[in-house]
Amino acid sequence: MNFNLKPEEEMDFIPIIPLNESDAESNEKIEIPADIALLPLRNTVLFPGVVLPITVGRDKSIKAVTDSYKGSKLIGVVAQKDSSVEDPVSKDLEAIGTIAKIVKQIKMPDGGTTIIIQGKNRFSIKNVITEEPYFKAHVELVDEEEPPKDPDFEAYVSNIKDLATEIIQLSPNIPSEASVILKNVENPSFLIHFVSSNLTIDIRDKQRLLEMSNIRERAELLMQFLQKELQFAELKNKVTNKTKAEIDKQQREYFLQQQLKSIKEELGSDPNEREIKELQKRAETKKWPDTAKEAFKKGIEKLERMHPSTPDYSVTYNHLDLMLDLPWLDYTEDVYDLEKAKEILDADHYGMQKIKERILEYLAVLKLKGDMKSPILCFYGPPGIGKTSLGRSIANAIGRKYVRLSLGGIHDESEVRGHRKTYIGAMPGRIIQNIRKIKSSNPVMILDEIDKVGSDFRGDPSSALLEVLDPEQNHSFYDNYLELEYDLSKVLFIATANNLQTIQPALRDRLEIIELGGYAVEEKIEIAKRHLIPKQKEAHGLKSSAFKISDKVLEKIIQDYTRESGVRELDRHLAAIMRYQAKQLAMKGKLKSNLTIDDIEKVLGKSRYSNEMYKAATIPGVAVGLAYTYAGGDILFIEALLSDGKPDLRLTGNLGDVMKESATTALSYLSANAKKLGVDPAMLEKKTVHIHVPEGAVPKDGPSAGITMLTALASAFTGRKIKPYLGMTGEITLRGQVLPVGGIKEKVLAAKRAGLKELILCWQNEKDVQEITPEYITGLKFHYVKTMNQVIELALQDN
C-alpha cells in the first residue's frame, strides 16, 4: 500500500481523507454539465470519495483544469490505457472514469499547476466531442450499488480492514496513523474505494476495480489483491529481519550493490552483463577443444548467477579470461627450409655443430612426417658459452615464437603447476602463464638453469617438471588453476644446466643431454670478431668508428686476461676497451685505426695470468693436474712434501672426501710398489707426507686427480723432478690401473689456454680427444696410458 507522496506529474498522489465521510460518499445526484472537460491521468485511477493532490503539467490539462475551476469546478478524471503515451487521443482513454470536484487550484513557481480534487461519482464516456483545446465528452453517470446488509458482506468489510491493517504494520514506510484512519471508516463503499486507491497494484487492476458495478464482487477482488500484498509484505519483512540479524559490512555492501544494480538496470546499463557478453563474443571465434568449450559454457552460466561484488565473481571471471587468452589449438607454422635454418644457426652462433645437427634432424623429420613429438633437449655446459641465446636462435631458425622460463631459485611446485583458484591471489603456473603471453601452443620454451631448482617443505618443483618434460604425458598437462588438461606436446622444450649432478635422476632421465664444451682460443677470436665487438661498438656509440682489433691483440686479451670456458669475461674486457675508445673519441675527436698490445695493457693493466708458472718447478713433488669446475676446465697444482716424523698423511686445500680417498689410494699403491717405482721402503716408515692443493678457499673434489697425486708423491720420494709444461688427469686403482674421467674437452682446452704442451690421459679417453676439432689443440702432445708405471715413466725426469 502506498501512503507516501511521490513527486511526479499529474498521476502521483497522496490520499487525503475528507473530514466529513458522509459528504464524500453522499448519494445525492450531482448536476453535471452537458459537455464536461476530461483530465487524463497516466499513472493512477481516481476512486469516488478519495481526495488527491495532482500536479498538472500538460498544456491541455492545465487549460481544462483552469476552465473547469472557473465554471462548475467539476471535471471528468479518466485513466490512460498506456501511461507511456505523452499526448493521448480519445482512443487512449479508458471508458470508465470518476467525476471529480476541484477543491483547490494552486499555481506553482515553475509554471505548473497543482490541484486538489475529490472523487464524486463514476461515469462512462458516451462520446468524445472534441480533443482541442482539451478533451470534452458526453458522459453518463454510473449508479452506485447500495452496500448489502447481510453478514457475509460485513465479514468482507471486516476482512478488508484487517488485511489492510496488517499490511500497514508490516510496512515500515507507512505511518501507523493510517491504521487508525481505516478503523474509523464506517462506509463500506468508501472503505473499498479508499483501500483500492492506496493499494500497490498495476494501473489496469485498479481500473478493473473501478469498472466493477457489483460491490460484493469488487470486495472479493480487492481481498485477493490484499492477500497477495500481505504475502509479499510478510516475505519482505522476513528477509529484512533475517538480513538485519546477519548483516555485517560485506552484506551491507552487497545490499547496496543490489540496489545499485536495480538502478542501473532501470537506467539501461549493467556492466556485469556487458562483461559477460564480451566474453561470449570472444568465445565465438575461439579455436579450442570440446572440454574447454564445455567448461567455458558452465563458467559463463555460473557467472551470470553471481553479483559482481561477490569474491567468487572476480575469481570466475579471471578464470574464464585465462581460458580465452590461451592459444589452445593456435600454432605457428614451422619453416622447413633446412638450408635457411642452418644459415640462421651459423650466423647467430659459431661452432656448436652437434646441437645444430640435432635441430636440423628434428626439422627434417617434421618436414617428412608432418608431425612429431617434440624432443626434450638439455644443453649442458659451463656458463657463458651461449646455451640460453642458442634457444632464441633455434626459435628463429624454425619460425617459432620464443619464451624463456627461469627456474633458478624456484622452490614451490605451484610455480610450475599453479595454485588452486580458491586461494587468494591464485594464478596459473609459469608454464601456462608463458603460453598465454606468447599466444602460441608450439613455441620454443627455454627452461633456464634447470639444475638450480630448489625444494623445501612447500614442494619439489623438479618433480612437477616430470609431467611437463615427458613426451608420453605432456599432451595432457594439468594446471591446478586452469583445472583443464592442456596439450604441451608441440612445445619444443630446451633446458639448460651447468651441473647434471644436481638434477633429480628421474628428471635427468627424461632429458636428451647435449653437452656443450668450452671454446678454444681460436673459437673465441671468431666469436669476438663476429658478435662481441660489433655488439659492444653499437652499445658504446662507436658503430661508425672504423678502428680494428687484430687477431693477435684478441689472443693476448683471451690468454692473459681471461680464464674461462665461455666468453662473458672476454665480453666485459671488450666493453672496457670500448669505453676507453669512446672517451678518446669524445676528448680528441679521432681514434687510432688499430689497437696495439700496448693500448690493451694501458686499458686493462698488466696481464692477470701467465703461462710461465707451469714451467718445471725447482723442487720435486709438484705436479700439474687438470680439473673440471663449474666454470669449465681449469689447471690444478698438487704439491707433495716430506718431513721427518712418524708415517702419516696430511691433506690440506679444502679437499672433498673422494679426493682425500684418491690421496690415500695413491700412497697405498706407492707403499706397496716402492721398489718398482724406485722408492726406498725405509723412507715410507720415517717420513710424514703432506699433500696440499693451492687455492685453499675453493672446494675441490672428484677422482680425476688420482694419477697427479701419485706422480707428485713419487717425485717427492724419488727426488726426480716432473717435466715442465706437463699436465695429467685420471683415476687410479690400488692395482695401479688408470681409469677414464669426464670433462676431457674442457680440461684439454684449459691446458691449451694455460700453455701446457704435453698431457697424460687414460687410453679410454682417447675417443673424447678425437671429438675436439684438431685445429684447436695443435701443439699439444697426448700420452695415453693404462697403468701407473707408464705415468711415472712419462712424467718424471732423470736425475
Side-chain angles (χ1 to χ4, degrees):
M1 298 185 70
N2 191 343
F3 284 82
N4 288 326
L5 175 61
K6 296 181 182 176
E8 206 349 49
E9 230 224 355
E10 310 100 314
M11 291 48 82
D12 295 325
F13 62 94
I14 180 169
I16 297 176
I17 306 299
L19 296 176
N20 188 346
E21 186 183 322
S22 61
D23 177 61
E25 280 296 311
S26 172
N27 289 328
E28 294 178 6
K29 286 278 186 179
I30 59 172
E31 295 294 329
I32 59 172
D35 302 330
I36 192 166
L38 297 182
L39 175 62
L41 298 185
R42 66 164 72 155
N43 280 336
T44 195
V45 175
L46 177 65
F47 286 84
V50 177
V51 178
L52 292 180
I54 296 175
T55 301
V56 184
R58 292 191 284 223
D59 292 339
K60 278 186 177 183
S61 300
I62 292 172
K63 188 160 182 59
V65 166
T66 305
D67 289 353
S68 300
Y69 190 67
K70 288 177 182 176
S72 65
K73 291 187 169 53
L74 296 177
I75 192 167
V77 178
V78 62
Q80 288 181 201
K81 293 178 180 176
D82 185 356
S83 61
S84 63
V85 176
E86 183 64 35
D87 190 11
V89 294
S90 58
K91 65 178 183 179
D92 295 321
L93 304 180
E94 295 285 359
I96 302 292
T98 304
I99 297 290
K101 182 179 180 182
I102 302 173
V103 179
K104 186 74 174 173
Q105 180 180 11
I106 306 165
K107 297 285 185 182
M108 304 303 289
D110 60 358
T113 299
T114 297
I115 58 173
I116 297 173
I117 57 175
Q118 181 180 22
K120 291 295 185 181
N121 275 85
R122 294 182 300 149
F123 70 86
S124 64
I125 299 173
K126 292 302 177 185
N127 64 297
V128 177
I129 302 169
T130 180
E131 294 185 7
E132 297 296 338
Y134 47 81
F135 290 105
K136 274 190 175 183
H138 286 307
V139 299
E140 182 182 350
L141 291 177
V142 177
D143 292 332
E144 293 292 336
E145 183 182 313
E146 280 293 324
K149 300 296 184 182
D150 59 274
D152 286 351
F153 186 74
E154 287 176 4
Y156 280 3
V157 172
S158 177
N159 198 15
I160 288 171
K161 281 187 179 182
D162 292 343
L163 288 171
T165 303
E166 283 186 56
I167 292 170
I168 291 169
Q169 290 172 349
L170 290 172
S171 302
N173 295 329
I174 302 177
S176 57
E177 290 82 359
S179 59
V180 178
I181 294 171
L182 279 174
K183 285 179 182 177
N184 291 317
V185 175
E186 295 178 358
N187 190 314
S189 294
F190 176 71
L191 176 69
I192 292 170
H193 291 154
F194 176 68
V195 173
S196 299
S197 181
N198 289 284
L199 200 59
T200 311
I201 56 175
D202 189 76
I203 187 84
R204 288 184 292 274
D205 292 329
K206 284 190 177 183
Q207 183 67 28
R208 279 175 63 198
L209 287 167
L210 180 68
E211 291 176 0
M212 294 179 79
S213 296
N214 188 310
I215 194 167
R216 189 186 298 273
E217 291 177 2
R218 199 186 311 163
E220 285 180 1
L221 183 60
L222 179 59
M223 277 196 296
Q224 290 177 21
F225 289 140
L226 283 170
Q227 287 286 0
K228 287 182 182 177
E229 182 77 8
L230 179 60
Q231 287 176 5
F232 179 76
E234 287 174 343
L235 183 61
K236 186 177 178 183
N237 193 52
K238 181 181 176 183
V239 171
T240 304
N241 291 338
K242 186 178 179 182
T243 305
K244 281 181 180 177
E246 300 174 357
I247 200 158
D248 58 15
K249 184 181 177 185
Q250 182 180 339
Q251 289 170 319
R252 178 176 175 274
E253 288 177 359
Y254 175 75
F255 184 72
L256 293 172
Q257 287 286 354
Q258 284 287 71
Q259 289 184 322
L260 183 62
K261 181 185 176 185
S262 299
I263 293 167
K264 287 180 177 176
E265 284 174 353
E266 288 294 323
L267 295 172
S269 60
D270 185 2
N272 177 21
E273 192 176 332
R274 286 202 304 271
E275 283 181 346
I276 293 172
K277 283 183 179 177
E278 285 174 11
L279 291 175
Q280 289 171 327
K281 189 174 180 181
R282 287 168 60 191
E284 287 173 4
T285 57
K286 191 73 182 171
K287 290 191 296 182
W288 50 9
D290 292 339
T291 52
K293 192 173 183 179
E294 186 64 28
F296 179 82
K297 184 180 175 184
K298 288 181 179 177
I300 283 289
E301 290 171 358
K302 185 179 178 184
L303 200 65
E304 287 174 334
R305 295 193 298 269
M306 291 182 183
H307 191 271
S309 64
T310 59
D312 277 353
Y313 181 87
S314 60
V315 171
T316 306
Y317 181 86
N318 291 336
H319 183 250
L320 295 175
D321 191 45
L322 169 68
M323 289 177 65
L324 289 171
D325 282 347
L326 286 173
W328 295 102
L329 302 177
D330 293 334
Y331 303 102
T332 53
E333 193 171 338
D334 290 337
V335 177
Y336 297 128
D337 189 340
L338 270 63
E339 290 297 325
K340 185 180 177 183
K342 189 174 186 302
E343 285 176 15
I344 293 173
L345 290 171
D346 287 339
D348 290 347
H349 289 82
Y350 184 79
M352 299 187 177
Q353 295 307 318
K354 189 187 292 186
I355 289 183
K356 292 176 182 176
E357 288 300 320
R358 181 66 184 84
I359 297 301
L360 292 175
E361 288 168 4
Y362 168 66
L363 270 180
V365 174
L366 273 180
K367 183 177 181 179
L368 296 174
K369 187 171 179 285
D371 184 27
M372 176 189 178
K373 286 181 179 176
S374 293
I376 314 294
L377 305 178
C378 178
F379 297 162
Y380 158 62
I385 59 173
K387 298 185 296 296
T388 305
S389 61
L390 186 61
R392 184 184 292 276
S393 180
I394 290 169
N396 292 336
I398 63 179
R400 290 192 183 184
K401 292 184 177 180
Y402 165 85
V403 62
R404 187 180 74 89
L405 175 58
S406 180
L407 297 177
I410 285 181
H411 45 66
D412 188 350
E413 63 110 9
S414 297
E415 295 278 356
V416 179
R417 278 216 185 98
H419 308 77
R420 299 204 175 278
K421 65 175 187 282
T422 49
Y423 294 117
I424 294 173
M427 60 179 67
R430 291 204 187 182
I431 302 286
I432 294 296
Q433 282 185 47
N434 281 286
I435 293 284
R436 178 188 196 176
K437 180 175 71 176
I438 210 67
K439 301 289 184 190
S440 170
S441 286
N442 65 335
V444 173
M445 186 174 286
I446 299 296
L447 302 176
D448 215 7
E449 312 292 0
I450 198 170
D451 56 324
K452 297 173 185 64
V453 174
S455 66
D456 59 13
F457 64 92
R458 282 166 288 194
D460 183 5
S462 60
S463 297
L465 285 170
L466 294 176
E467 181 186 4
V468 177
L469 299 181
D470 190 339
E472 299 300 323
Q473 297 180 40
N474 64 10
H475 65 277
S476 56
F477 170 68
Y478 186 85
D479 185 275
N480 291 330
Y481 183 88
L482 183 60
E483 294 183 341
L484 289 168
E485 292 182 347
Y486 195 90
D487 185 5
L488 297 177
S489 62
K490 303 291 192 300
V491 179
L492 177 54
F493 288 103
I494 299 177
T496 70
N498 302 125
N499 184 5
L500 293 179
Q501 304 306 314
T502 57
I503 302 177
Q504 190 190 92
L507 183 58
R508 189 165 67 239
D509 184 57
R510 285 162 166 77
L511 302 173
E512 183 179 334
I513 308 290
I514 300 179
E515 188 172 348
L516 296 176
Y519 295 116
V521 174
E522 292 82 359
E523 287 180 302
K524 289 184 179 181
I525 291 172
E526 284 299 321
I527 292 168
K529 289 197 298 186
R530 295 185 185 194
H531 303 288
L532 303 183
I533 292 175
K535 181 186 80 172
Q536 292 297 349
K537 272 189 172 183
E538 186 173 353
H540 293 84
L542 298 171
K543 193 173 181 181
S544 58
S545 303
F547 68 90
K548 294 180 180 178
I549 303 177
S550 65
D551 290 3
K552 189 176 180 183
V553 173
L554 286 173
E555 187 175 349
K556 167 80 173 173
I557 297 170
I558 293 164
Q559 291 191 327
D560 291 2
Y561 293 93
T562 67
R563 279 288 185 272
E564 61 174 348
S565 295
V567 291
R568 283 196 180 130
E569 194 176 356
L570 172 60
D571 193 34
R572 285 191 284 270
H573 287 315
L574 290 174
I577 292 168
M578 295 305 164
R579 289 194 297 272
Y580 173 80
Q581 289 290 84
K583 184 182 75 171
Q584 291 295 102
L585 182 61
M587 293 176 69
K588 298 181 180 178
K590 60 180 182 178
L591 292 173
K592 290 171 65 174
S593 58
N594 286 295
L595 284 173
T596 64
I597 290 175
D598 292 338
D599 295 326
I600 298 303
E601 289 186 351
K602 190 175 179 181
V603 179
L604 303 179
K606 292 293 182 183
S607 300
R608 292 175 59 189
Y609 306 101
S610 172
N611 294 336
E612 296 299 312
M613 62 193 295
Y614 302 115
K615 288 183 179 178
T618 54
I619 58 170
V622 181
V624 178
L626 304 177
Y628 182 79
T629 68
Y630 168 80
D634 203 358
I635 301 302
L636 206 63
F637 282 100
I638 306 284
E639 300 174 347
L641 185 67
L642 306 179
S643 58
D644 292 332
K646 62 180 182 178
D648 190 17
L649 175 63
R650 297 174 186 168
L651 300 170
T652 56
N654 201 353
L655 308 184
D657 290 340
V658 177
M659 207 164 181
K660 288 177 182 177
E661 290 167 1
S662 293
T664 305
T665 303
L667 185 59
S668 297
Y669 177 78
L670 187 69
S671 300
N673 298 276
K675 288 185 179 179
K676 290 182 184 177
L677 299 174
V679 176
D680 182 3
M683 287 182 68
L684 294 166
E685 297 298 326
K686 53 186 179 181
K687 294 290 183 182
T688 298
V689 180
H690 185 170
I691 296 178
H692 176 68
V693 183
E695 298 186 38
V698 181
K700 309 166 192 74
D701 204 1
S704 61
I707 66 170
T708 317
M709 287 183 168
L710 183 49
T711 303
L713 287 172
S715 172
F717 274 106
T718 59
R720 296 164 64 185
K721 296 178 183 178
I722 297 172
K723 287 181 183 179
Y725 296 105
L726 174 69
M728 61 192 76
T729 183
E731 183 179 353
I732 59 167
T733 68
L734 284 173
R735 293 170 295 160
Q737 290 181 317
V738 179
L739 301 181
V741 290
I744 291 299
K745 182 182 179 183
E746 300 297 325
K747 293 175 180 178
V748 169
L749 292 176
K752 174 71 172 171
R753 285 197 300 270
L756 299 183
K757 295 176 181 175
E758 293 182 70
L759 295 179
I760 299 176
L761 306 171
C762 172
W763 65 277
Q764 289 176 281
N765 284 128
E766 185 175 0
K767 65 181 186 303
D768 300 310
V769 176
Q770 289 172 352
E771 290 182 4
I772 304 172
T773 307
E775 292 79 20
Y776 301 155
I777 52 176
T778 52
L780 275 178
K781 185 177 180 182
F782 294 93
H783 302 284
Y784 300 107
V785 296
K786 291 185 177 181
T787 65
M788 202 53 228
N789 289 337
Q790 292 174 289
V791 177
I792 299 298
E793 288 174 14
L794 289 167
L796 301 185
Q797 300 183 83
D798 295 330
N799 287 329

